[in-house]
Amino acid sequence: MNLSSANSKTSAQRIVGFSREKNALSHWLAAPDAGSQIFSVTGIGGIGKTTLLTEMNAEARRSSTLTIWMDGQLCLQTPGAFLSYLEMSLEMEYGLTRAADETMLTYAVRELTRQKTVLIIDNSEHVDCIESWLLASLLPRLADAECLFILASRSGLPVKWHSHPFWSRRIHSYPLELFSREEIYEYLQDSGLSPALQLDIVHKTEGHPLLLALTLDMLLRQEPERQEREYQLPGILSTEMLKEVASPFMYEALQLLSLLPAADQTILNQLLASPLSASDYAELSRLSCVRTGLNGLCLHQLVSRMLREDFQRRDPGQYHRMRSRTLELLTERFPASNKLQQMQIAAHVLELYREQLPVAGTYTDFTAVRSLERQRGYEPGDLPYLHRFLEASLAQSDWQSELIADGEHHPLLDDIAAHDPDSIVVLCDSSGIPLGFSAGLRLHALTLSLLDRYAPSHRHLLGELAGPQYTLPAEAADTLFILLAAVDIEQPYYRPDELGAMLLQSWLVYTSGGLRTIVATADNQLNLLLPHLGFQEQIQSRLEPNVPAKLTVWDLDFRQVTFEVWVQRVFQLAVQAPEADLPQEPQPQDWKDVKQIVQHLYSDALLEEMPFVQRLGLTGGSVRRQVQHILMDKQPPYPLTELEQSILRECYLQKNYRKSQLADAFHMSRTTFYRHSRLALIHLGHVLTRVLRDTDLHGNR
């Protein structure tokens, strides 16, 4: 993808990515007997197909290879149009002419076989119009030549090409993907934009090259003082997609597809007002943003998210109704699905309903999870990375350090890798380099000695929860006790909370395949979040002797709980009024009372006029000091979370951002930010009521 700008700092063009494709071309150009081959470059609109072809064209010309660029929109309608376009290009670019008595096909074959040739065809979506002629008349005459066809299209070559007995073996497919985090930052590194704004661009564009280029160009054309203000992404994706979607039924089908991990024609027709015919379904499958898999059609991840957001904005009522119907469909299909499909369904449901999870937003922000970042099993080469992540985590006293005996974390990781490597889940980037991990021990007879050594209080902590597990043989183990987790805080491309969200998602997806997961933590955000994700608190562990203080044990048992029961449990909790999950204690009449207090925090006289303050008989100064202490305290009192404390502190104490900027500052949509703000006021109300009543009772004004 090109980077060019009016800004002098970025006046030079830079190409990011495409190393795989350019290396393939270099290898073909350098090979002494390369033979005729076909490179098929595919991807959604704006992904960089034309940019890549431009680079390939330049490299081929630098090597003195005969190189022809053709526009598929003009040359793929008929065989005559193809040959005429080719003849014109040879004459204009190389001064070659056809003899009067020579047919165009004979002339084309002679010139393409005379020397090593690269034929680049952009916009080749309509190659099917002349594919029979190409495969029967032109290509057979080029089989023994050194001719490379590079075709770029959104959906790739038709099936007929891939099943051809000769040419199928000579086709090399290059599907283009979104930029990785490393490529995005490489693209932005000389832009002159602030680190905060670069991070914001990373999240908003998600690595879509054209969207990234247009956003950067738009910002660099603004004055520096205006760059930090709220900005809208160019509507390029919607525009590019609508070029392909010619009928209303197609757009409706895409909207529904955005709510599903994958769907075949039968599933779509259960949801659509007007069922798709077989030809409609085939047309849908040919769109560049749609991929065909074993379970039907699925949407490109970025397009899927943007379609959902557009659907929700335009018709929120219908969006929520259709989302509920798709959830019912997924829960019905879950029991009959294989383990991989079940994990895919679980991951999709978590993303689809993430916005309804009411607390600990950073831990449940799964939007950063893309196909480029993936979880996998442990490999021996991962161990040095995992030890490095663990060392940094221990230096910050993260949650896993509370249960394991001092100095035993690294030996424990070594023993887990040696004796129970299947319990380690590794999060890695697109190159397979680890970004984080979670590890534990499956409970069975052979792991008991390891637990006794490294977590000596585990028997008291788990009690009856795990007692029967200690006599099981290894092959029957179905309970995973999470003991360690850490992420790479030294790499510059991901925030630690993003990687934490990826790890949390991996726990839930991994567990949904029929395992039981046990987690012991003193992390306040996790202790608030886990019950909303269906975990059950083991109350008895708090009463056991020899158990580290403040540790809470949580249990999610997919051996007994079916997926549909778990979904019902999670999202019943999520849609309940937030107050229903809080302890029964005195509270302000309404969250709006609390909002009035923080809005007028620096006016003691106005505070004293508020009915809530008057009922307690407190001074305005006393209320102000208590609120300031709550919002500035290093450890926010329950049920106020650190995220909520930060939101309230920024809104009402520090005021570094305007109201319109706050949602972006916290990397949330405005709707999500409003929900978190209201919940923060509710939680502050509980804390404030408790503190002020205690103040009143003790006479400390």
Side-chain angles (χ1 to χ4, degrees), residues 90-103:
L90 288 169
E91 182 175 0
M92 291 181 62
E93 296 191 42
Y94 294 96
L96 302 173
T97 57
R98 176 172 62 94
D101 60 347
E102 190 175 26
T103 67

Side-chain angles (χ1 to χ4, degrees), residues 518-571:
I518 300 173
V519 180
T521 179
D523 184 303
N524 287 334
Q525 286 206 63
L526 276 177
N527 282 328
L528 283 171
L529 174 63
L530 290 177
H532 291 284
L533 294 175
F535 282 79
Q536 302 290 311
E537 181 182 359
Q538 301 304 310
I539 302 295
Q540 74 274 9
S541 66
R542 295 182 175 183
L543 308 177
E544 293 288 343
N546 303 318
V547 171
K550 299 183 180 180
L551 275 179
T552 304
V553 178
W554 299 94
D555 172 32
L556 180 58
D557 192 349
F558 265 103
R559 303 171 308 172
Q560 308 298 329
V561 177
T562 62
F563 179 77
E564 54 268 34
V565 170
W566 174 70
V567 168
Q568 185 179 27
R569 178 195 299 172
V570 170
F571 297 116

Side-chain angles (χ1 to χ4, degrees), residues 136-158:
S137 299
L138 178 62
L139 291 180
R141 303 188 186 197
L142 304 176
D144 297 326
E146 289 187 290
C147 188
L148 174 63
F149 286 82
I150 305 177
L151 290 83
S153 64
R154 299 186 178 207
S155 53
L157 290 169

Side-chain angles (χ1 to χ4, degrees), residues 649-662:
R649 187 165 58 236
E650 190 56 60
C651 287
Y652 301 106
L653 294 188
Q654 297 172 346
K655 302 182 180 180
N656 291 327
Y657 295 91
R658 292 188 298 276
K659 293 289 186 183
S660 60
Q661 294 177 308
L662 283 169

Side-chain angles (χ1 to χ4, degrees), residues 46-73:
I47 200 70
K49 299 184 295 294
T50 301
T51 299
L52 172 58
L53 263 56
T54 302
E55 282 293 290
M56 288 180 151
N57 178 68
E59 182 174 351
R61 290 178 182 274
R62 284 194 297 268
S63 70
S64 300
T65 301
L66 179 71
T67 305
I68 300 295
W69 180 291
M70 305 177 70
D71 186 347
Q73 292 178 321

Side-chain angles (χ1 to χ4, degrees), residues 409-528:
H409 298 81
H410 291 287
L412 169 60
L413 180 56
D414 287 332
D415 270 343
I416 292 175
H419 298 98
D420 198 4
D422 290 341
S423 73
I424 302 176
V425 174
V426 177
L427 181 71
C428 61
D429 64 14
S430 56
S431 301
I433 303 299
L435 294 169
F437 77 100
S438 63
L441 286 169
R442 290 175 299 169
L443 302 183
H444 55 80
L446 298 180
T447 58
L448 181 57
S449 61
L450 293 176
L451 283 165
D452 283 336
R453 173 185 170 185
Y454 294 112
S457 59
H458 74 95
R459 295 191 190 228
H460 297 291
L461 186 71
L462 301 184
E464 297 179 359
L465 184 66
Q469 307 297 318
Y470 296 140
T471 59
L472 289 176
E475 60 272 14
D478 55 10
T479 297
L480 178 65
F481 188 14
I482 299 289
L483 296 168
L484 301 172
V487 300
D488 185 0
I489 62 173
E490 296 176 359
Q491 52 71 41
Y493 305 116
Y494 304 82
R495 298 194 314 268
D497 55 277
E498 287 183 297
L499 296 177
M502 295 181 198
L503 276 181
L504 177 58
Q505 188 195 48
S506 73
W507 287 1
L508 295 170
V509 172
Y510 186 66
T511 300
S512 68
L515 288 174
R516 176 198 205 179
T517 297
I518 300 173
V519 180
T521 179
D523 184 303
N524 287 334
Q525 286 206 63
L526 276 177
N527 282 328
L528 283 171

Side-chain angles (χ1 to χ4, degrees), residues 15-268:
I15 302 299
V16 173
F18 304 139
S19 57
R20 175 190 59 171
E21 294 80 9
K22 290 194 291 187
N23 287 339
L25 175 61
S26 298
H27 180 76
W28 185 87
L29 291 171
D33 185 16
S36 290
Q37 296 183 26
I38 298 173
F39 287 4
S40 175
V41 177
T42 59
I44 62 173
I47 200 70
K49 299 184 295 294
T50 301
T51 299
L52 172 58
L53 263 56
T54 302
E55 282 293 290
M56 288 180 151
N57 178 68
E59 182 174 351
R61 290 178 182 274
R62 284 194 297 268
S63 70
S64 300
T65 301
L66 179 71
T67 305
I68 300 295
W69 180 291
M70 305 177 70
D71 186 347
Q73 292 178 321
L74 302 175
C75 71
L76 293 178
Q77 303 304 318
T78 64
F82 182 90
L83 292 172
S84 296
Y85 196 109
L86 181 59
E87 180 183 7
M88 179 183 65
S89 298
L90 288 169
E91 182 175 0
M92 291 181 62
E93 296 191 42
Y94 294 96
L96 302 173
T97 57
R98 176 172 62 94
D101 60 347
E102 190 175 26
T103 67
M104 286 195 294
L105 178 58
T106 303
Y107 170 68
V109 170
R110 175 168 60 81
E111 292 301 333
L112 295 180
T113 56
R114 188 165 54 86
Q115 59 179 303
K116 185 173 278 193
T117 301
V118 174
L119 200 63
I120 298 173
I121 307 177
D122 198 7
N123 302 309
S124 60
E125 280 77 10
H126 299 296
V127 71
D128 56 327
C129 293
I130 62 169
E131 69 176 359
S132 295
W133 174 78
L134 286 172
L135 291 170
S137 299
L138 178 62
L139 291 180
R141 303 188 186 197
L142 304 176
D144 297 326
E146 289 187 290
C147 188
L148 174 63
F149 286 82
I150 305 177
L151 290 83
S153 64
R154 299 186 178 207
S155 53
L157 290 169
V159 174
K160 189 173 182 179
W161 293 71
H162 293 282
S163 59
H164 193 277
F166 180 81
W167 289 101
S168 62
R169 302 192 304 271
R170 300 190 176 210
I171 295 174
H172 305 274
S173 297
Y174 298 104
L176 301 186
E177 298 292 346
L178 302 176
F179 281 166
S180 67
R181 284 293 178 90
E182 295 88 338
E183 289 171 331
I184 300 173
Y185 279 108
E186 181 185 349
Y187 192 99
L188 295 172
Q189 67 181 0
D190 295 326
S191 64
L193 300 178
S194 69
L197 192 52
Q198 289 190 36
L199 182 63
D200 193 51
I201 293 171
V202 168
H203 282 274
K204 285 186 173 181
T205 63
E206 294 192 24
H208 184 273
L210 185 55
L211 195 57
L212 182 61
L214 292 176
T215 301
L216 181 59
D217 187 65
M218 176 187 68
L219 287 169
L220 291 178
R221 292 176 187 275
Q222 296 177 352
E223 295 299 320
E225 60 271 15
R226 295 181 56 202
Q227 290 175 348
E228 299 290 344
R229 299 176 187 173
E230 182 176 349
Y231 62 92
Q232 297 294 324
L233 295 184
I236 186 66
L237 283 187
S238 298
T239 304
E240 288 289 330
M241 193 163 52
L242 288 174
K243 290 178 182 176
E244 301 180 70
V245 181
S247 56
F249 88 86
M250 189 81 77
Y251 199 81
E252 183 187 1
L254 285 175
Q255 282 187 154
L256 289 175
L257 207 51
S258 75
L259 298 174
L260 293 157
D264 56 23
Q265 187 178 350
T266 302
I267 294 177
L268 285 174

